[in-house]
Amino acid sequence: MFNVLIFFFLKVAVAHTIGHVAATVSMSKVAVSFTHIIKSGEPAFSVLVSRFFLGESFPLPVYLSLLPIIGGCALAAVTELNFNTIGFMGAMISNLAFVFRNIFSKKGMKGNSVSGMNYYACLSMMSLLILTPFAIAVEGPKMWAAGWQNAVSQIGPNFVWWVVAQSVFYHLYNQVSYMSLDQISPLTFSIGNTMKRISVIVASIIIFHTPVQPVNALGAAIAVLGTFLYSQVNNTHFVMKYLVLE
């Protein structure tokens, strides 16, 4: 039983690690706002993975709700001034990895006496064990030291505090997300996630002075609106499915 649990956690941790690494790579190549515009297309990946890998079918309105998400992301990508293939693919890979992580996590927490906080704690520790040997093999201590010195020389001593603050806030964000899965409905969580995307996109544009064309802003708005519509339609689908089963 213990070996089965470890193997299950390992699958979730691999998807979790790939998702975060790919998102970080994406944000290093393109604007933060662009990464989150593409990541707003995660519901489309969720439906496709559930359909082709899990054999789950959805009503027509769910599939139709994906059209504005895909169309909005495509429009934003085509008109992005700082488009980069690696950045775009990183965001897409992150979407796919997080969909698998969420599916495995839901299965892991369902019927088990594991809270969201404990689940994410175990997931983080296992992810660290997975990532560390790859980080040493690909980069290594010498490259870490050179990169750190380069960053401090260009940004200054505040770089250290920014790294600390980013680490704390990013961990807390993911911790609260997993805790929320145990406490609120899927609809509330989806709406909150949509609002988070809007906040991150707008804040990153303001803080980093990212140039945005009107067509690019339109694509982002369509994608975010599509995500909201998907959450509404998908929640209705699951409520009706639950009532039928009852």
Side-chain angles (χ1 to χ4, degrees), residues 75-120:
L75 184 61
V78 170
T79 57
E80 171 63 28
L81 296 176
N82 300 314
F83 181 84
N84 179 278
T85 303
I86 296 178
F88 176 76
M89 292 304 299
M92 297 288 281
I93 292 172
S94 178
N95 277 341
L96 186 61
F98 280 144
V99 165
F100 279 108
R101 182 199 68 173
N102 294 340
I103 291 175
F104 293 148
S105 296
K106 280 289 187 179
K107 289 185 176 181
M109 287 188 288
K110 185 178 180 181
N112 295 324
S113 58
V114 181
S115 66
M117 179 179 292
N118 291 331
Y119 196 95
Y120 184 71

